[in-house]
């Protein structure tokens, strides 16, 4: 099992905790997290949460905060080299900070990603490919990968009986698709990971009486 | 005519003596002056009385000069003029700040009969305003009369106290050249305006647009530039600008005014100027592809118009910004489609390594004053960009070219040394900079990511200590390198700046926009059109490739108060000492002192520039080196991959040669 944990301060928590509503938000989260994992480790003052990359049979990024734990699929391979991490995917040999920034710039709220003209979308990608042949393959991979979004909420303020239990899991994110699974007493970070872990026993869902 | 002097009226027998003495005096003493007979910028203010002139000089009373004997009509003229100035001040919401005419007429205006001005200098002394707050009100009045409207909420009436506020709240006035461009009727069908970046070309085009839009209510106007993002931002700026200038007419988009990029797309006839022309004249529209350049598309359209001459014009006026991005065929096409005047604005040299920066066609307006940047910063940026302080210079300009870039050249023929200086700028004239250096070289330790991020945080804190009122918006951090280390440094700053300073960071190479109240962090590819009071430029190694040096030049000039140049000490041991001493000289004397290259050196410099001007692509250059080294074809693909990884976007011949040679040797030995 590979497990790498990164401490998160209040400023990073701001963007990490902003709601996920589309695949673009997932790609954003993934690339921003990648940038953090690629940096030399520095001590974090004022820790408010943790980001963990856990790879065994499953491969996931897990973000744990006081009242919120969530996770997305991590679609790359992580290699440890000399105290630093190197990431690659099936289609890209080395996903570094530069590649991450380029992905972020293509999906940034701009006239590129949402342009109705195909060339306005394709041009910047094609530009990136001039110096990185694998950029488009990586980008396509990102558009196509299953994001596997799941979140645990401890939400007293908005709780509403069994319709919105205090402790619940949210599975998926788009409005017609997402649903909640209640949890009687809530889960810890370890329990949350255990739910997702393919190498440990399954958890069971059963209707309440 | 000098940029220090603007004359609105015709010279005649009565006034020529006075006009000459104002013009000479201002040129000699480098002070701004305007002689007008009605307020500029609004055609509704006209007067029957013609025997008067109004002299406007910042820090001096607005002076009404009478050229005829009779006083009654003159007094009426002065009354009317001041009443109108009062209503202009009301229109632009200055009135609440500077008061009604009765509160400034007495001490900020005066009248005189022209024959009473015997000695111009003593006359000037007699109308001088001493109180700095009153000087400011007078400058605001001058700005209203010359149509150079400032945002009164931003500049304010009180004299600012801190250096940052002094520069930020400086009342901006058009200089003579700028005023002439905006208000003079053109005598030609094509008007060319050129200047260094930062000379305010786009702003002037907006003013011209407003003048035309209001003066010719039925006219059709095209406003364009090559780049789509810039065109979009222009399109957003126009309504804001019209609003600010209190234009009461609605903008009739795509009926009277087209503001788009040049090309456009098939689906929408109003999406590009070329596209619209094709629609108008039923010319087959060519879309962008690898086989269709814009030049070719324009030439095809011209050929079509040659065969089928147009019966009417698509536009009455056409304004083109960033003209250096266009082929000449586009101007020809626009000319064919335009009834009245074509205004073309562009950079003198987009790159300091452009050849032939003096012009095949003489521009009608040459703006040599870069208003954005402190002249000392600009001098250092040119020096570092051209390698003037280094043993091997990368670029040298001939005397007329130095002049075109706004330099005053003094040379000592006996030993070939040059002294280059620039005229002072109004923007900085009242600012007490004391011994504040314009550029500071800040050296970092290794490892670079740690050392540089420490140093950048140190610089930001230094700026905050020295300027109480500084906000995140006032500082731009620009990374000059495009390798992975630079991007990691960016991520490091993204974490450390909020954590250690409490400021949010906008990583602009990702967001591609400006965000309010965020520290702007970007790289060399995203700095066009930006300016900050303070800029921190960061690089690990000062390299010699032209594209790199040009970025250094472009980036350093983005600041208007101070630039920090953060470099690794260890990587630049050889050249840093001479650069530092050159900078110290500029900071101290305000001049560049440099030895001109010898004839041979000059030949070598221009030969190298010529070669690279043909803009050899990375592949072509690598291919040339493969041929030179007789690299076996089976190795070429792999060598290209290696070289690509090492150089990213920034390559130069000598280093590429080394890398290919070294790796080829290693590969072929295996």
């Amino acid at each position: 099992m590979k497990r790498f944990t990164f401490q998160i301060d209040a400023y990073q928590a701001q963007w990490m905790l902003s709601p996920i509503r589309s695949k673009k938000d997932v790609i954003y989260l993934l690339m921003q997290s990648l940038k953090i994992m690629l940096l030399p480790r520095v001590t974090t003052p004022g820790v408010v949460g943790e980001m963990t990359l856990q790879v065994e049979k499953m491969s996931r990024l897990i973000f744990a905060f006081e009242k919120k734990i969530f996770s997305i699929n991590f679609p790359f391979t992580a290699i440890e080299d000399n105290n630093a991490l190197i990431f690659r995917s099936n289609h890209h040999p080395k996903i570094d900070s530069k590649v991450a920034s380029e992905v972020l710039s293509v999906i940034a709220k701009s006239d590129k990603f949402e342009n109705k003209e195909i060339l306005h979308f394709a041009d910047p990608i094609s530009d990136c490919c001039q110096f990185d042949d694998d950029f488009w393959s990586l980008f396509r991979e990102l558009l196509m990968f299953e994001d596997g979004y799941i979140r645990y909420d401890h939400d007293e303020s908005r709780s509403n009986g069994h319709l919105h239990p205090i402790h619940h899991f949210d599975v998926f994110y788009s409005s017609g698709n997402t649903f909640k699974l209640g949890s009687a007493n809530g889960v810890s970070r370890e329990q949350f990971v255990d739910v997702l872990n393919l190498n440990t026993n399954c958890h069971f869902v059963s209707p309440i009486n | 005519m000098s940029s220090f002097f603007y004359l609105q009226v015709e010279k005649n027998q009565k006034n020529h003596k006075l006009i000459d003495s104002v013009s000479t005096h201002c040129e000699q003493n480098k002070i701004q002056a305007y002689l007008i007979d009605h307020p500029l910028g609004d055609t509704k203010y006209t007067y029957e009385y013609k025997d008067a002139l109004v002299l406007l000089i910042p820090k001096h009373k607005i002076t009404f000069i009478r050229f005829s004997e009779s006083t009654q009509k003159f007094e009426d003229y002065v009354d009317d003029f001041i009443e109108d100035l009062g209503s202009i001040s009301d229109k632009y919401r200055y009135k609440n700040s500077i008061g009604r005419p009765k509160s400034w007429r007495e001490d900020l205006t005066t009248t005189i009969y022209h024959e009473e001005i015997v000695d111009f200098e003593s006359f000037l002394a007699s109308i001088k305003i001493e109180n700095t707050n009153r000087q400011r009100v007078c400058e605001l009045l001058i700005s209203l009369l010359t149509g150079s409207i400032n945002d009164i909420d931003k500049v304010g009436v009180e004299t600012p106290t801190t250096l940052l506020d002094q520069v930020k709240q400086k009342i901006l006035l058009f200089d003579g050249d700028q005023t002439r461009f905006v208000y003079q009727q053109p005598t030609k069908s094509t008007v060319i305006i050129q200047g260094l970046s930062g000379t305010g070309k786009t702003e002037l085009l907006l003013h011209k647009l407003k003048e035309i839009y209001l003066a010719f209510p039925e006219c059709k106007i095209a406003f364009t530039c090559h780049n789509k993002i810039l065109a979009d931002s222009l399109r957003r700026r126009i309504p804001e600008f019209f609003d600010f200038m209190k234009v009461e007419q609605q903008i009739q988009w795509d009926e009277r005014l087209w503001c788009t990029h040049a090309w456009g797309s098939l689906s929408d006839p109003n999406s590009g100027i070329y596209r619209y022309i094709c629609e108008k004249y039923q010319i087959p529209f060519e879309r962008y592809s690898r086989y269709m350049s814009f030049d070719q598309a324009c030439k095809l359209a011209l050929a079509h118009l040659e065969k089928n001459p147009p019966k009417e014009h698509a536009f009455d006026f056409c304004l083109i910004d960033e003209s250096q991005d266009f082929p000449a065929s586009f101007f020809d096409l626009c000319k064919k489609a335009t009834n009245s005047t074509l205004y073309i604005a562009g950079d003198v040299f987009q790159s300091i390594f452009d050849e032939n920066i003096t012009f095949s066609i003489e521009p009608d307006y040459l703006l040599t004053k870069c208003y954005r940047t402190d002249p000392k910063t600009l001098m250092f940026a040119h020096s570092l960009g051209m390698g003037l302080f280094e043993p091997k210079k990368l670029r040298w300009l001939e005397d007329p070219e130095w002049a075109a870039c706004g330099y005053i050249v003094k040379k000592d023929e006996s030993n070939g040394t040059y002294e280059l200086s620039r005229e002072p700028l109004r923007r900085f004239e009242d600012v007490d900079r004391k011994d504040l250096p314009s550029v500071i070289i800040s050296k970092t330790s290794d490892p670079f990511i740690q050392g540089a991020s420490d140093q950048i945080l140190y610089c930001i804190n230094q700026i905050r200590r020295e300027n109480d009122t500084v906000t995140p918006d006032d500082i731009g951090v620009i990374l000059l390198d495009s390798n992975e280390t630079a991007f990691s440094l960016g991520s490091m700053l993204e974490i450390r700046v909020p954590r250690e300073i409490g400021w949010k960071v906008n990583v602009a190479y990702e967001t591609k926009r400006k965000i309010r109240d965020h520290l702007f962090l970007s790289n060399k590819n995203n700095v066009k059109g930006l300016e900050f009071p303070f800029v921190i430029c960061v690089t690990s190694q000062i390299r010699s490739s032209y594209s790199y040096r040009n970025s250094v030049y472009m980036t350093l000039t983005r600041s208007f108060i101070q630039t920090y140049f953060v470099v690794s000490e260890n990587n630049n041991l050889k050249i840093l000492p001479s650069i530092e001493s050159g900078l110290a000289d500029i900071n101290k004397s305000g001049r560049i002192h440099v030895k001109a290259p010898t004839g041979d050196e000059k030949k070598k410099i221009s030969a190298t520039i010529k070669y690279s001007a043909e803009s050899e692509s990375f592949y072509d250059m690598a291919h040339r080196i493969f041929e030179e080294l007789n690299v076996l074809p089976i190795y070429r693909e792999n060598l290209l991959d290696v070289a690509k990884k090492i150089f990213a976007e920034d390559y130069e011949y000598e280093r590429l040669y080394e890398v290919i040679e070294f790796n080829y040797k290693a590969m072929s030995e295996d």
Side-chain angles (χ1 to χ4, degrees):
Chain A
M1 181 182 87
K2 285 188 229 172
R3 185 169 168 154
F4 310 96
T5 301
F6 303 83
Q7 295 183 321
I8 300 303
D9 69 18
Y11 296 98
Q12 295 167 311
Q14 274 179 9
W15 58 259
M16 273 185 190
L17 285 170
S18 54
I20 297 235
R21 307 217 188 280
S22 72
K23 184 65 171 279
K24 204 168 89 170
D25 300 333
V26 175
I27 299 175
Y28 177 84
L29 181 67
L30 181 63
M31 290 297 125
Q32 288 286 15
S33 307
L34 210 65
K35 280 169 35 186
I36 294 176
M37 295 191 280
L38 284 162
L39 281 180
R41 297 291 187 94
V42 283
T43 46
T44 309
V47 176
V48 299
E50 260 179 19
M51 170 175 79
T52 307
L53 171 64
Q54 190 159 335
V55 183
E56 37 196 309
K57 198 173 177 188
M58 67 157 175
S59 172
R60 279 185 168 274
L61 271 175
I62 297 127
F63 304 85
F65 296 91
E66 197 193 342
K67 294 192 166 178
K68 224 180 251 296
I69 308 165
F70 62 100
S71 170
I72 55 170
N73 178 11
F74 186 75
F76 309 130
T77 311
I79 301 154
E80 220 178 344
D81 176 46
N82 234 343
N83 257 341
L85 284 171
I86 296 172
F87 298 104
R88 61 183 170 76
S89 80
N90 291 337
H91 296 282
H92 199 289
K94 190 173 176 225
I95 304 159
D96 57 22
S97 325
K98 184 176 181 179
V99 177
S101 286
E102 264 154 16
V103 170
L104 285 167
S105 84
V106 175
I107 61 164
K109 191 183 168 196
S110 69
D111 61 343
K112 288 178 197 163
F113 199 70
E114 272 135 41
N115 203 292
K116 65 175 182 177
E117 287 277 329
I118 176 71
L119 288 179
H120 287 293
F121 169 68
D123 271 349
I125 296 178
S126 167
D127 288 347
C128 293
C129 290
Q130 275 193 9
F131 287 91
D132 178 359
D133 295 334
D134 305 304
F135 186 82
W136 163 238
S137 309
L138 170 73
F139 196 79
R140 186 182 50 211
E141 200 178 351
L142 286 170
L143 293 178
M144 304 296 288
F145 90 101
E146 185 180 2
D147 36 30
Y149 178 80
I150 181 166
R151 183 180 78 216
Y152 161 71
D153 256 347
H154 174 185
D155 187 355
E156 274 158 6
S157 60
R158 294 170 60 203
S159 78
N160 176 13
H162 287 171
L163 214 54
H164 193 132
I166 294 180
H167 300 284
H168 65 264
F169 287 83
D170 280 304
V171 188
F172 310 134
Y173 48 79
S174 59
S175 59
N177 212 21
T178 177
F179 63 89
K180 291 186 199 315
L181 288 173
S183 160
N185 303 312
V187 294
S188 66
R189 205 197 77 97
E190 283 66 34
Q191 287 167 323
F192 179 84
V193 176
D194 192 67
V195 172
L196 306 172
N197 198 335
L198 301 170
N199 290 335
T200 61
N201 286 337
C202 278
H203 289 243
F204 283 76
V205 179
S206 54
I208 47 162
N209 298 318
Chain B
M1 201 174 278
S2 149
S3 67
F4 289 107
F5 181 53
Y6 175 75
L7 176 67
Q8 188 195 20
V9 293
E10 293 290 322
K11 272 192 196 177
N12 60 33
Q13 207 48 37
K14 284 183 195 159
N15 68 20
H16 77 273
K17 224 175 106 197
L18 179 90
I19 290 172
D20 289 343
S21 55
V22 176
S23 164
T24 325
H25 184 86
C26 293
E27 176 62 15
Q28 277 169 1
N29 297 288
K30 315 271 179 233
I31 55 172
Q32 193 67 52
Y34 312 81
L35 272 174
I36 60 175
D37 63 359
H38 68 261
L40 308 176
D42 201 327
T43 43
K44 73 178 173 207
Y45 302 111
T46 49
Y47 311 94
E48 270 174 32
Y49 185 73
K50 294 291 172 209
D51 277 337
L53 277 179
V54 188
L55 174 65
L56 311 174
I57 299 179
K59 296 184 187 153
H60 293 80
K61 291 181 185 177
I62 294 171
T63 307
F64 296 87
I65 304 167
R66 174 167 58 89
F67 289 93
S68 71
E69 302 281 327
S70 76
T71 55
Q72 185 51 49
K73 279 186 177 167
F74 175 72
E75 276 161 20
D76 288 346
Y77 166 77
V78 174
D79 286 344
D80 291 348
F81 194 101
I82 287 178
E83 189 188 314
D84 291 343
L85 178 53
S87 66
I88 300 173
S89 133
D90 191 23
K91 175 173 165 187
Y92 292 107
R93 300 195 296 111
Y94 278 37
K95 199 181 75 184
N96 291 343
S97 307
I98 64 175
R100 289 174 185 281
K102 65 179 177 203
S103 66
W104 42 258
R105 178 171 182 160
E106 178 81 23
D107 66 337
L108 299 183
T109 70
T110 185
T111 59
I112 194 166
Y113 180 51
H114 76 113
E115 285 182 359
E116 288 168 38
I117 305 172
V118 188
D119 171 45
F120 192 71
E121 233 158 280
S122 49
F123 160 68
L124 268 192
S126 74
I127 58 167
K128 174 101 182 141
I129 303 166
E130 297 299 340
N131 178 306
T132 51
N133 281 338
R134 299 309 284 166
Q135 284 178 355
R136 230 177 136 71
V137 174
C138 174
E139 277 186 32
L140 287 167
L141 291 172
I142 294 176
S143 73
L144 291 171
L145 288 172
T146 52
S148 177
I149 309 299
N150 288 257
D151 185 342
I152 191 71
D153 297 331
K154 281 194 190 140
V155 297
V157 174
E158 297 299 315
T159 312
T161 48
T162 69
L163 169 72
L164 177 62
D165 294 338
Q166 279 169 3
V167 178
K168 270 172 128 176
Q169 297 176 22
K170 179 79 194 168
I171 298 160
L172 299 180
L173 297 176
F174 289 143
D175 68 20
D177 288 327
Q178 294 174 323
T179 317
R180 274 187 286 281
F181 173 75
V182 176
Y183 298 114
Q184 264 175 10
Q185 291 299 328
T187 47
K188 303 156 69 176
S189 61
T190 304
V191 176
I192 299 174
I193 169 168
Q194 287 203 296
L196 292 173
S197 78
T199 45
K201 293 179 296 287
T202 306
E203 186 75 12
L204 288 184
L205 284 181
L206 285 170
H207 278 274
K208 192 82 210 177
L209 171 70
K210 176 212 140 204
E211 288 300 306
I212 300 170
Y213 200 85
L214 293 179
F216 306 94
E218 298 295 319
C219 71
K220 290 180 169 187
I221 310 168
F223 193 171
T224 189
C225 60
H226 195 272
N227 179 306
K228 186 166 187 305
I229 296 174
L230 284 180
D232 288 347
S233 100
L234 264 184
R235 197 182 158 104
R236 274 195 301 275
R237 268 177 79 180
I238 292 172
E240 286 166 20
F241 178 77
F242 272 32
D243 236 26
F244 179 67
M245 295 301 291
K246 309 292 172 202
V247 173
E248 279 151 15
Q249 289 187 33
Q250 284 282 330
I251 300 176
Q252 290 170 276
W253 291 114
D254 301 341
E255 286 170 38
R256 281 194 60 202
L257 178 58
W258 285 258
C259 179
T260 69
H261 67 142
W263 202 314
S265 52
L266 188 62
S267 56
D268 178 4
N270 293 316
S271 60
I273 298 304
Y274 161 74
R275 176 69 187 87
Y276 181 79
I277 291 174
C278 287
E279 180 77 8
K280 175 93 187 166
Y281 301 125
Q282 296 299 304
I283 303 169
F285 172 77
E286 300 290 346
R287 64 160 50 191
Y288 164 78
S289 79
R290 295 193 190 272
Y291 312 103
M292 179 55 67
S293 66
F294 192 51
D295 186 29
Q296 213 178 338
C298 291
K299 280 179 179 155
L300 286 171
L302 276 167
H304 186 96
L305 290 180
E306 211 52 57
K307 271 192 241 154
N308 314 288
K311 291 188 185 64
E312 56 178 306
H313 289 98
F315 308 111
D316 296 295
F317 297 90
C318 186
L319 295 90
I320 301 172
D321 199 6
E322 307 286 350
S323 66
Q324 70 281 353
D325 297 343
F326 285 110
S329 53
F330 180 63
F331 307 138
D332 295 339
L333 182 64
C334 288
K335 207 168 175 178
K336 268 239 159 22
T338 302
N339 180 22
S340 176
T341 317
L342 187 63
Y343 292 95
I344 301 176
D347 276 8
V348 170
F349 52 172
Q350 180 71 354
S351 157
I352 45 174
F353 295 102
D354 282 351
E355 287 185 285
N356 306 327
I357 60 157
T358 41
F359 324 94
S360 44
I361 311 163
E362 196 67 18
D364 303 282
Y365 297 90
L366 176 62
L367 307 175
T368 55
K369 290 194 174 171
C370 174
Y371 287 94
R372 180 202 298 134
T373 315
D374 178 340
K376 285 184 197 167
T377 311
L378 191 61
M379 283 186 220
F380 178 70
H382 277 135
S383 306
L384 188 56
M386 302 187 202
L388 298 185
F389 299 139
E390 292 153 57
K392 201 176 133 194
K393 293 183 182 55
L394 300 164
R395 176 79 164 118
W396 183 254
L397 301 183
E398 293 308 325
D399 295 358
E401 297 176 317
W402 285 119
C405 298
Y407 280 96
I408 302 160
V409 179
K410 264 195 204 160
K411 51 185 174 178
D412 185 342
E413 300 284 0
S414 64
N415 59 7
T417 51
Y418 271 62
E419 182 188 273
L420 302 165
S421 58
R422 302 185 70 83
E423 279 176 351
L425 296 183
R426 263 198 87 252
R427 185 171 192 174
F428 305 104
E429 69 184 0
D430 298 328
V431 180
D432 179 15
R433 300 180 62 101
K434 295 198 185 76
D435 298 322
L436 197 76
S438 318
V439 178
I440 295 166
I441 293 179
S442 180
K443 292 177 280 194
T444 76
S445 52
D446 292 336
F448 185 69
I449 297 180
Q450 186 64 41
S453 58
D454 285 348
Q455 202 61 37
I456 293 163
L457 287 164
Y458 173 81
C459 294
I460 297 175
N461 280 323
Q462 179 78 11
I463 295 169
R464 292 171 72 205
R465 267 195 300 278
E466 287 170 3
N467 303 276
D468 302 343
T469 52
V470 75
T471 66
D473 300 305
D474 294 329
I475 304 179
V477 180
I478 296 160
L479 311 176
L480 286 166
D481 303 332
S482 41
N483 52 16
E484 215 251 310
T485 311
F487 282 86
S488 295
L489 173 60
S491 322
M492 185 65 107
L493 290 171
E494 201 180 351
I495 293 175
R496 288 189 67 186
V497 171
R499 197 175 276 174
E500 294 173 37
I501 296 182
W503 283 1
K504 290 182 196 154
V505 177
N506 169 22
V507 186
Y509 50 79
E510 292 170 1
T511 62
K512 307 276 177 182
R513 62 196 171 112
K514 256 198 109 170
I515 305 176
R516 212 176 246 262
D517 218 18
H518 282 59
L519 178 75
F520 185 88
L521 168 68
S522 191
N523 58 19
K524 58 178 187 177
N525 300 327
N526 299 286
V527 292
K528 218 177 152 52
L530 295 171
E531 62 166 37
F532 301 91
F534 303 95
V535 166
I536 302 172
C537 300
V538 190
T539 191
S540 152
Q541 194 185 0
I542 302 171
R543 300 188 296 276
S544 342
S545 77
Y546 293 154
S547 66
Y548 172 82
R549 289 293 177 128
N550 195 57
S551 315
V552 171
Y553 154 71
M554 292 275 285
T555 313
L556 288 173
T557 58
R558 299 289 125 182
S559 84
F560 53 82
I561 295 184
Q562 220 171 19
T563 303
Y564 286 81
F565 188 51
V566 176
V567 283
S568 155
E569 178 158 31
N570 277 339
N571 291 345
N572 302 288
L573 289 173
K574 267 192 200 156
I575 53 172
L576 262 184
S578 65
I579 293 174
E580 283 182 298
S581 75
L583 172 62
D585 185 21
I586 292 177
N587 275 331
K588 195 165 150 240
S589 70
R591 292 176 164 78
I592 301 173
H593 293 99
V594 63
K595 207 167 164 51
T598 61
D600 273 358
E601 285 169 331
K602 278 189 205 170
K603 264 186 211 152
K604 221 169 172 179
I605 291 172
S606 52
T608 327
I609 290 174
K610 206 175 173 83
Y611 205 14
S612 61
E614 285 150 19
S615 71
E616 203 172 19
S617 74
F618 182 78
Y619 292 92
D620 291 343
M621 192 186 282
H623 188 74
R624 183 157 64 93
I625 295 169
F626 292 155
E627 293 294 312
E628 284 167 15
L629 289 169
N630 279 323
V631 174
L632 291 174
I634 48 162
Y635 293 114
R636 292 188 177 190
E637 181 88 36
N638 285 338
L639 282 173
L640 200 61
D641 275 354
V642 172
K644 245 178 13 181
K645 294 223 162 70
I646 293 176
F647 287 103
E649 289 105 78
D650 209 26
Y651 53 95
E652 54 191 303
Y653 179 81
E654 279 168 28
R655 291 198 57 216
L656 185 59
Y657 190 97
E658 271 173 34
V659 166
I660 292 178
E661 191 181 31
F662 177 83
N663 283 285
Y664 182 49
K665 219 172 139 204
M667 281 179 187
S668 50
E669 275 168 5
D670 265 359

